[in-house]
Amino acid sequence: MTYPQLYMIINGEKVSGGGRKTFTVVNPATGEPLGELPLADPADLDRALEVAEQGFAIWRKAPAAQRAAVLQGAARLLLERADDIARNATMEEGKTFTEAKGEVGMVAGLFNFYAGECQRLYGRVLVRPEGQRATVTHEPVGVIAAFAPWNFPIANPGRKLGAPIAAGCSVILKCAEETPASALAVLQALLDAGLPPQVAQAVYGVPDEVSRHLLASPIVRKLSFTGSTVVGKHLVKLAADNMLRTTMELGGHGPVLVFGDSDLDRALDTLVASKTRNCGQVCVSPTRYIVEENVFERFRDGFTERMKAVKVGNGLEDGVQMGPMANPRRPDAMERLVADAVQRGARLHTGGERLGNQGFFYAPTVLSEIPLDAQAMNEEPFGPIALITPYKGEDAMIAEANRLPYGLAAYAWTGSEQRKQRLSHDLESGMIALNTGMVAAADAPFGGVRWSGHGAEDGPEGVLACMVTRAIHEGI
Ligand code: NAD
């Protein structure tokens, strides 16, 4: 299976070699190296900044129809290239080919939605007496420094590029060094669809060095970051020095409230599929199962049975439902979290171990009755671990859901319409899924509250987050 050559893209040119340091990209299913990724030196970053500044001057003046045509063209090219892009994503990230191909479709859908939004960036005309006029307009914010992680190697760069391009901004994109080929393919589709090369640059490097360099530059006007809360807090502090605008899509600890009046089999089928998606390495992954005591045993046993049946393997093989974890840090973290929970008295029902003798596989794992002070009940596991605990009464269940400072996605399963309405008000979360596993769509804002971050991606909100609002007062 071939894996593409790796490079950075600056001003449309493929940049590599020249004595630059490199990062070895590894296949998480085998642990074998796939390729060498060149890393930016300070001169590369300065060049990317200079080009991005030119890109903004060009793109802020580009007509909406041109911006829309680029996004639509890129969506078409991504779908044409979907098999190749998805195969490379599976090789570098580990997720199943089906999931990776789904990501390509998601980005194509997002680009098409944003192509429509280009034409809908309206302002407001205020009511004024004769002789006066006042309008409210939205202008693109400027050069955006965007940092995206490895867990959605195609969708994350798609999100980081789509909204700024719709808004008329330019972008310097630093995606995860672990999954570069996917991000390069998304940017290449945009360039092939006619995006002026100055508008989007892709660089790689030592993350802390790149973010410090870019965020210190007066050329950058906005930080957009997806990743862990701890890194997000650090970057917001750096961004404060230049008072940058920020969109922060950070970690979560997805609570799932399961009530006795729900359709338990439907809930279980949906929740196990969501839990094992991308081996649990999903910021909106359902994690803390807060189960009404009268259905606790049925739920725990049904969950365990389904987790045992999940077929784990190389994501390129037919029938595999869950691939490896993306890097060796993740199975290490799973071992630490499970050992700590069990040592504190949690019950292990299945999993709790690495699988195979190569790659970074970890078994689908179910723990129950986990003490609240266990690390896994407080730290985002970011892995295939389900934490199931019985609770008595709706108030106690909501209190547990809101116990942690995170608020990205919350899930609830219930047959009661009144309860759904209460939950939609009372769960402190940016996204709430009631009797469904779906929390994202091209036309809906995606983002968290509290320590899960602020600002939204996707939806009209995602484009507005790349714009500044201005009021213009006129005497006429
Ligand atoms: P990490 O926190 O070191 O890195 C997360 C991402 O941030 C990576 O893509 C990394 O390249 C980037 N990053 C790290 N330091 C940076 C810096 N100073 N400047 C710019 N970018 C920086 O953790 P990790 O080991 O890669 O992932 C583990 C944790 O990260 C998980 O437990 C999870 O909480 C979080 N995570 C969240 C998401 C998400 O979608 N919100 C995605 C991936 C990882």
Side-chain angles (χ1 to χ4, degrees), residues 147-151 174 176-177 207-208 211 225-228 231 234-235 249-251 283 329-330 380 382:
F147 302 88
W150 39 263
N151 61 335
K174 191 209 81 65
E177 286 65 34
D208 193 49
S211 49
F225 175 74
T226 300
S228 59
V231 175
H234 163 70
L235 293 184
E249 206 275 89
L250 308 177
C283 54
R329 299 187 296 281
R330 298 317 309 149
E380 182 177 31
F382 225 61

Side-chain angles (χ1 to χ4, degrees), residues 35 45 60 85 168 181 209 277 370 386 400 418 443:
L45 299 176
R60 65 188 286 261
I85 296 173
E209 289 174 12
R277 179 176 175 220
I370 313 104
E400 168 54 19
Q418 287 86 348
D443 56 357

Side-chain angles (χ1 to χ4, degrees), residues 225-280:
F225 175 74
T226 300
S228 59
T229 295
V230 63
V231 175
K233 287 183 180 181
H234 163 70
L235 293 184
V236 164
K237 286 175 193 154
L238 292 182
D241 282 343
N242 278 331
M243 202 51 80
L244 299 184
R245 287 178 177 250
T246 53
T247 293
M248 309 303 292
E249 206 275 89
L250 308 177
H253 204 289
V256 186
L257 286 70
V258 181
F259 292 92
D261 58 9
S262 61
D263 178 342
L264 218 55
D265 281 325
R266 206 177 119 218
L268 283 164
D269 289 343
T270 308
L271 288 167
V272 170
S274 306
K275 181 72 256 178
T276 51
R277 179 176 175 220
N278 195 23
C279 208

Side-chain angles (χ1 to χ4, degrees), residues 293-325:
E293 58 181 1
N294 57 347
V295 286
F296 166 70
E297 283 177 13
R298 259 180 70 205
F299 184 84
R300 180 201 60 200
D301 295 347
F303 207 101
T304 303
E305 192 188 310
R306 285 167 175 79
M307 288 287 263
K308 280 181 178 165
V310 171
K311 187 171 177 209
V312 183
N314 187 321
L316 289 177
E317 282 166 23
D318 278 349
V320 164
Q321 292 167 302
M322 188 178 100
M325 307 206 78

